Amino acid sequence: MPDLLVGIDVSRDTHHVAFTDATATERWGRLTVPNDAGGALQLAHAIQEQATRHACDTVRIGCEATGVYAWHLALWLSQPTDPPRPWTVYLLQPRTVHRYAATFASKRAKTDRQDPWRIAEVLSHA
């Protein structure tokens, strides 16, 4: 069964999200949600829906640790649930994501729409 990678580009107002497989080659969709409790709930439902749709046993979620905007979401996504979610949440240093993205500087522009894919690609190497 494939792994689901979820890359989240966190900002003050929104989270840009990308869903992909463990090799980061199959793009399974994207989503933008508000950075609030309703957006977090919407995101959790979308993650569960993607995991079910693609029959994923394992879900790895990467949030770029942007200021104070990421830790609320990462903490909420990490909370135990009943039944337990097969999720692991990673807070990634922006420097790590930036250095990874720099290897593609001539190929891809840095945009809010591309950043979640890069974050998911970093997870694929973790």
Side-chain angles (χ1 to χ4, degrees):
M1 303 229 176
D3 288 353
L4 172 64
L5 302 183
V6 181
I8 305 173
D9 183 42
V10 176
S11 66
R12 184 185 70 184
D13 298 321
T14 59
H15 302 307
H16 296 277
V17 184
F19 301 99
T20 187
D21 68 341
T23 63
T25 57
E26 293 291 325
R27 292 188 173 197
W28 290 340
R30 73 173 77 225
L31 173 70
T32 299
V33 297
N35 185 355
D36 59 20
L41 189 58
Q42 183 182 355
L43 176 57
H45 288 302
I47 293 169
Q48 187 62 48
E49 180 181 301
Q50 289 287 339
T52 301
R53 177 181 298 144
H54 299 287
C56 299
D57 288 332
T58 304
V59 178
R60 290 184 279 164
I61 302 169
C63 298
E64 191 172 26
T66 308
V68 297
Y69 302 122
W71 75 273
H72 287 100
L73 179 65
L75 183 63
W76 188 81
L77 290 172
S78 300
Q79 293 299 310
T81 60
D82 188 24
R85 300 177 192 157
W87 300 354
T88 304
V89 179
Y90 299 86
L91 271 174
L92 302 173
Q93 290 294 326
R95 182 180 315 134
T96 301
V97 176
H98 175 75
R99 287 183 180 158
Y100 180 82
T103 63
F104 300 104
S106 63
K107 299 176 186 173
R108 300 183 198 164
K110 180 171 177 16
T111 65
D112 285 341
R113 291 182 60 82
Q114 286 297 328
D115 287 350
W117 298 113
R118 290 194 181 107
I119 293 165
E121 288 175 8
V122 170
L123 284 177
S124 73
H125 300 292

